[in-house]
Amino acid sequence: MTRKFLALLLSASILSPLPSIAVAPPDFKQEAIANVDGHTKLIQVMVDTVFSYGEPGFQEFKTGAYLTDILAKNGFKITKGVAGIPTAWTATWGEGGPLIALGSDEDDLRGVSQIPGDPKVEPIVPGAPGHGEGHNSGMPLQVAAALAIKAVMEKHHIKGRLMLWPGIAEELLGTKAFYVRDGLFKGVDACIFTHVASDFSTAYGPSSNGMVSIEYTFHGKTAHAAGDPWDGHSALDAVEIMDVAMNFRREHLPLSTRTHYVISNGGGQPNIVPGVASVWYYFRDYTFDRVKSLFEIGNKTADAAAMATDTTVEHKLLGFAAPNYGNKPMAELAFANIQQVGMPKWTADDQAFAKLVQETQQRKVEPLLDKVTPLKAPTEERTPTGGGSDDIGDIMWTVPTITIRYPSNIPNMIGHNVTSAMAMATPIAHKGAVAGAKAVAMTVLDLMMTPEELTKAKAYFDTDQQKYDTYKPLVSATDVPAIHVNDDYMRTYRPLMEPYYYDSKKYDSYLDQLGIKYPNPPTGPIRKIVPPKSSSTDSSGG
Ligand SMILES: [Zn+2]
């Protein structure tokens, strides 16, 4: 450690808004901020490009190839196909020192294709997937943060390593438990995850729901449905009996549970007694034990439905998400940085577009936020009533981890819906990702350069967090990631989406390519609609 560095550290601790926190030298953090600002154009291009690829869970081939190419060109070592998942990858760089992991989700949602910059519901390709949660912005943010950090580390000979990883198939809660099971986070000291939001914040302690995703496939016997139905055993009857039983059971389940399903195979045609039928359930609650007991009720009900119909049933686990638990010392570090970065400078055009979307979609009208969200202590007594999940929980129970929420979207949009896609390739999304990248870069430097902060994060993980609960995943040693999901769907839609991929060499922005004069809505037809060969507009999601 140089004397200059010690002096900087000392001045940092004097200037710090939270005196108990040791942080990286302010000069180094200013350099990181300047580096991110230097990547503003790259961030816009990455956010727009990933938006235009619009790939759902396990189909993130273009997105992965594109982002890893940028990282490889910048000296990162790429490993593809990690944890047996073709679209998963890691990008590592550095030597010695702590290993900090940076991740975000990159998949989108079935059936929510949407033209960005358009306040009306208007798909780019009807029925195609779309970024109706804004996952197109998270990995571009992390790539920009990593490039900014790397430059500071190289310049000042700081020891440390970075590992970037994408959240694959998050909407299916499909991969992070497998990453953990297969040892992807072995040797990682801490992880910073980011998620799109309309606010700029972080949190610690327990939050969100745990979840298990399971498909029950019933096997019966076909017969002529009118000629000799008594010779058949309907697998669809079993599905329906299971669903009715679960819906009656719901009355007697804790209010915190969430149980939802889709019939993923309802049989072939009415005159054949269905020989095979499947129903796909998500079971959620806010602790590991509660998820497990709901899962057991589901399994028992499926077995009972099979018994009632003289069919057999196969249980296939498709995904799992641990309840989230954020690391307090890391959240405090990140929050100080979030405060320093502050909200993006929204223009009148940004506010006008946000208002236009809210009014057109009849959502509560509220301007883009101008203040960061305070860091709040979690409530002691939790009685949550539902809510979504993110399998970052599995990583949170493996290494000290936080989520930084960054302001790339408009307030009061509907989740898993086209409204959440409307701003996601506009200046609002771009500026939010720039702000988020700065907070990540600064927090990584804090962790890399102040070993005592990393020690504090680990101590909190080992004591406070483990006292609250311990990691109990429902993924077994023999379960495999559900990489087949969305395969057929993308075989239909990818060729229809290709003509709308963003060409950053020809167009300044994706809005330019689509002929949209932000913040004004498009006035004429901006694309030729090619009807898909087979149409499927259902959506699935995290
Ligand atoms: Zn998400």
Side-chain angles (χ1 to χ4, degrees):
M1 202 180 280
T2 65
R3 210 180 296 162
K4 186 180 165 212
F5 176 52
L6 270 174
L8 281 167
L9 256 187
L10 192 65
S11 69
S13 63
I14 292 164
L15 293 172
S16 166
L18 296 163
S20 61
I21 296 178
V23 293
D27 291 7
F28 292 14
K29 288 164 82 166
Q30 283 305 327
E31 275 177 33
I33 289 175
N35 292 347
V36 172
D37 279 329
H39 292 309
T40 301
K41 176 64 191 168
L42 176 66
I43 290 173
Q44 173 258 310
V45 170
M46 289 192 289
V47 167
D48 287 4
T49 302
V50 178
F51 185 94
S52 77
Y53 289 160
E55 294 174 307
F58 295 114
Q59 305 301 315
E60 309 90 338
F61 292 101
K62 291 285 295 178
T63 304
Y66 169 70
L67 295 175
T68 53
D69 190 45
I70 294 170
L71 287 162
K73 282 187 181 131
N74 282 281
F76 283 75
K77 181 179 163 278
I78 311 296
T79 309
K80 290 194 177 176
V82 295
I85 299 156
T87 51
W89 49 268
T90 58
T92 51
W93 175 85
E95 244 184 55
L99 173 56
I100 311 294
L102 304 177
S104 197
D105 303 324
E106 63 178 30
D107 58 323
D108 73 352
L109 296 156
R110 292 172 71 121
V112 292
S113 171
Q114 170 66 31
I115 294 170
D118 191 339
K120 300 182 304 303
V121 175
E122 196 66 65
I124 299 173
V125 174
H131 274 290
E133 179 152 332
H135 284 179
N136 58 304
S137 53
M139 279 316 284
L141 177 165
Q142 294 286 34
V143 170
L147 300 183
I149 300 158
K150 177 174 174 268
V152 175
M153 289 174 71
E154 281 175 332
K155 185 172 167 195
H156 300 286
H157 311 289
I158 299 164
K159 286 253 175 260
R161 289 160 294 150
L162 297 171
M163 179 181 93
L164 280 85
W165 58 273
I168 295 298
E170 186 280 328
E171 301 296 359
L172 306 168
L173 292 313
T175 56
K176 299 190 191 90
F178 291 98
Y179 286 172
V180 168
R181 187 194 67 182
D182 294 354
L184 207 66
F185 285 80
K186 271 211 183 95
V188 170
D189 291 288
C191 175
I192 299 178
F193 183 69
T194 62
H195 200 283
V196 60
S198 58
D199 72 334
F200 200 9
S201 65
T202 188
Y204 60 88
S207 70
S208 96
N209 269 327
M211 191 227 56
V212 61
S213 159
I214 180 159
E215 188 172 46
Y216 300 104
T217 297
F218 294 89
H219 297 274
K221 192 176 161 194
T222 64
H224 194 299
D228 57 342
W230 41 85
D231 283 330
H233 298 290
S234 170
L236 180 60
D237 287 357
V239 164
E240 291 188 80
I241 287 170
M242 163 152 202
D243 294 345
V244 168
M246 283 309 298
N247 285 329
F248 272 106
R249 186 69 184 255
R250 200 188 293 275
E251 166 85 340
H252 311 285
L253 294 172
L255 293 176
S256 55
T257 65
R258 282 289 184 279
T259 301
H260 28 257
Y261 58 88
V262 293
I263 296 175
S264 42
N265 176 8
Q269 58 186 65
N271 66 346
I272 307 170
V273 172
V276 182
S278 305
V279 60
W280 180 9
Y281 270 85
Y282 278 16
F283 297 118
R284 309 191 202 232
D285 208 334
Y286 70 98
T287 68
F288 287 103
D289 292 344
R290 281 165 169 265
V291 173
K292 185 162 182 266
S293 69
L294 184 59
F295 181 50
E296 283 163 357
I297 289 168
N299 289 340
K300 194 162 61 177
T301 307
D303 294 343
M307 204 184 287
T309 49
D310 266 332
T311 59
T312 58
V313 62
E314 221 184 304
H315 301 200
K316 184 166 171 44
L317 184 134
L318 298 181
F320 176 75
N324 288 6
Y325 198 100
N327 187 274
K328 186 178 179 188
M330 286 174 66
E332 287 171 346
L333 277 179
F335 180 65
N337 294 324
I338 287 170
Q339 278 183 306
Q340 200 181 324
V341 174
M343 290 300 284
K345 302 229 174 331
W346 307 119
T347 60
D349 282 355
D350 299 331
Q351 293 290 7
F353 182 67
K355 188 158 180 271
L356 189 62
V357 171
Q358 289 162 342
E359 283 174 351
T360 310
Q361 294 302 322
Q362 297 175 309
R363 306 301 296 166
K364 188 177 164 214
V365 174
E366 190 187 344
L368 297 164
L369 302 183
D370 60 359
K371 282 189 183 63
V372 305
T373 308
L375 182 64
K376 283 194 294 274
T379 35
E380 283 289 306
E381 286 300 317
R382 281 188 88 220
T383 48
T385 49
S389 314
D390 194 307
D391 50 0
I392 187 59
D394 293 79
I395 294 163
M396 288 177 150
W397 286 97
T398 307
V399 295
T401 302
I402 50 164
T403 297
I404 292 179
R405 290 159 53 89
Y406 56 93
S408 274
N409 215 337
I410 297 171
N412 308 322
M413 297 297 97
I414 305 171
H416 291 182
N417 180 275
V418 287
T419 54
S420 293
M422 289 168 177
M424 286 315 302
T426 71
I428 296 171
H430 306 144
K431 288 178 196 175
V434 168
K438 289 176 184 174
V440 170
M442 293 162 83
T443 309
V444 171
L445 286 177
D446 287 338
L447 292 168
M448 289 278 189
M449 301 189 68
T450 52
E452 59 269 45
E453 288 304 320
L454 217 41
T455 307
K456 263 200 254 174
K458 283 179 185 167
Y460 180 85
F461 176 85
D462 288 336
T463 54
D464 300 62
Q465 187 171 342
Q466 306 304 320
K467 233 181 277 163
Y468 178 81
D469 208 342
T470 53
Y471 186 46
K472 285 165 271 185
L474 293 173
V475 168
S476 74
T478 53
D479 287 320
V480 290
I483 57 172
H484 62 284
V485 177
N486 291 327
D487 224 10
D488 289 349
Y489 177 63
M490 277 311 268
R491 215 164 286 140
T492 302
Y493 282 100
R494 193 182 290 281
L496 301 174
M497 296 167 74
E498 275 166 0
Y500 301 105
Y501 287 169
Y502 172 43
D503 182 350
S504 63
K505 289 193 185 76
K506 255 174 127 173
Y507 299 96
D508 195 37
S509 70
Y510 194 37
L511 293 181
D512 278 353
Q513 180 168 336
L514 297 172
I516 294 168
K517 306 269 179 274
Y518 179 83
N520 303 315
T523 48
I526 64 169
R527 45 109 178 71
K528 208 170 72 193
I529 295 178
V530 187
K533 281 189 197 89
S534 75
S535 169
S536 165
T537 52
D538 56 324
S539 62
S540 57

